Every structure is written in structure tokens, then in C-alpha cells.
Amino acid sequence: MESDLSVIPLWLQLAYTAFLLVLVPVYWKKYGPGNFLWFSDIALFSVGIVLWTGNQLLLSMMAVGVLALELVWNLDYFGRLLTGHQLLGLSAYMFDESKSLFLRGLSLFHVVLPALVIWLLLEWGYQPEALYWQTALAWVVLPLTYFLTDPKENINWVFGPGNEPQHKIPARLYFAIMMLIFPVGVYLPSHFLLQWLFN
């Protein structure tokens, strides 16, 4: 099935690409290259590819992989904006005044990204085989994250739930559990919901 790229306006393709050209060097300098292993950053780049190629499988992979987590991030962010109280802490860095408004503003891609993914799913539908491809991608990204990044950064939570590494169980046992939690606890439920909603 061919994607209908005509539904994507040129201004959106250009604006999205320009945003990436700003974000990449800023994040590289501030956070280092390991930061780009976050699944949300991978999704950000992947959706950029989707906007130019219409790759439905890649879109579906990002939907099954990060859409649910991005929506939770938005709930956490807007919940704190509206109530003044931290809900989950996923977006706590957005309220850290030691970070510049510009730097925090770049992270507002978390608001735009799920909206774009949902819109394109409405246009093109969801490809069920994305579950397997996203799981394969995760099983590459998670070991890279575990072995190549600083535990203090806790990218993709491979060292502990939340912001800090955990010390209650052996680190490699926790990592093995995370290798299963993503596909079984996040991707599989997302897959069934996306099939129901968009097919």
C-alpha cells in the first residue's frame, strides 16, 4: 500500500527538518551523542524520515514504540502546568530553571510528535508487523544504551525506573527485565490498541 504524501504540506516537511537542524547540534553539545538513543529522540528523527518518504512501517513502529509514552509525558507536563504539582516527574526537567528557556523549548517536540503520529495514522493506518520490527529495534538500542551511556543519565531507564539508577537488584538482571518490559509491557498493549483504533 502506497502512502499518500500529498496529505503532508511542504511547509510542514521544511519546518520539521529545520527544527531538527537546530535541535541536533544543540543537544549534541549540551547532552552528548548518547542522548540520541532515547526512544523519543529516535522517534523524532524517524518521523522526519516518514514526512519525506511516507514510510508506513516506520510510522507504525514509532507509534507502537513511543506513542503511549509520549502521551504520558504530555499528561505529566500539562498536568503540572495546570495544577502546579508534579505528577510522575517525566517532564520535571521542563520546569528546571537552571536550563535555558530555549533548551527547554526544544523539548516541546514531545507535544508535537504524538499529534503528528496520530494524524498520519488516521491518514494511512497502522501496520501490525511494526510490533516485531520495533521489538527488534529496541533489542538493538537497549544494549547500546546500557553499554555505551553513563548510568547517571539513565537513558531509556536501562539502569533504573525514573531518573536514578536502581540498586535493589543486580544491574544486569534489571536490564534483562527491561528488555522484556518494553515489548511485553509497552509495545504489545500499544499494538492491540493501535490495531483496534486505526485498522
Side-chain angles (χ1 to χ4, degrees):
M1 181 178 177
E2 293 294 323
S3 303
D4 182 9
L5 276 174
S6 67
V7 304
I8 303 174
L10 179 61
W11 69 262
L12 177 58
Q13 295 169 314
L14 294 175
Y16 197 100
T17 303
F19 176 77
L20 289 179
L21 291 174
V22 172
L23 178 140
V24 169
V26 172
Y27 271 27
W28 187 289
K29 182 177 180 180
K30 181 65 179 180
Y31 300 122
N35 190 78
F36 297 117
L37 288 171
W38 276 109
F39 285 124
S40 57
D41 285 49
I42 292 170
L44 179 67
F45 299 133
S46 296
V47 169
I49 295 170
V50 168
L51 289 176
W52 287 101
T53 65
N55 189 314
Q56 294 181 36
L57 177 59
L58 187 57
L59 171 69
S60 296
M61 287 171 60
M62 296 307 105
V64 80
V66 304
L67 183 56
L69 298 172
E70 290 295 309
L71 292 173
V72 171
W73 187 97
N74 276 270
L75 177 66
D76 187 63
Y77 175 64
F78 287 106
R80 180 160 175 179
L81 276 181
L82 294 172
T83 68
H85 299 291
Q86 180 171 294
L87 301 178
L88 300 171
L90 293 176
S91 63
Y93 65 93
M94 294 294 287
F95 302 91
D96 181 355
E97 294 184 358
S98 69
K99 300 182 188 300
S100 70
L101 281 174
F102 173 71
L103 186 63
R104 286 180 279 164
L106 289 175
S107 283
L108 289 174
F109 78 80
H110 290 288
V111 177
V112 176
L113 187 63
L116 279 176
V117 170
I118 291 170
W119 168 55
L120 291 173
L121 287 172
L122 288 169
E123 293 289 342
W124 298 337
Y126 169 70
Q127 294 197 348
E129 60 269 30
L131 171 65
Y132 310 110
W133 286 100
Q134 179 61 26
T135 298
L137 176 64
W139 284 348
V140 172
V141 171
L142 290 172
L144 288 175
T145 307
Y146 184 82
F147 289 109
L148 298 180
T149 65
D150 187 340
K152 293 178 181 177
E153 297 172 350
N154 201 22
I155 293 171
N156 294 324
W157 312 306
V158 294
F159 298 102
N163 295 325
E164 301 293 331
Q166 64 81 39
H167 301 287
K168 293 183 179 179
I169 63 175
R172 294 200 174 185
L173 174 59
Y174 173 84
F175 172 68
I177 293 170
M178 290 303 292
M179 289 281 285
L180 294 176
I181 283 180
F182 274 102
V184 176
V186 178
Y187 303 162
L188 192 59
S190 296
H191 165 75
F192 288 129
L193 184 60
L194 290 165
Q195 271 197 312
W196 179 62
L197 290 173
F198 297 106
N199 284 346

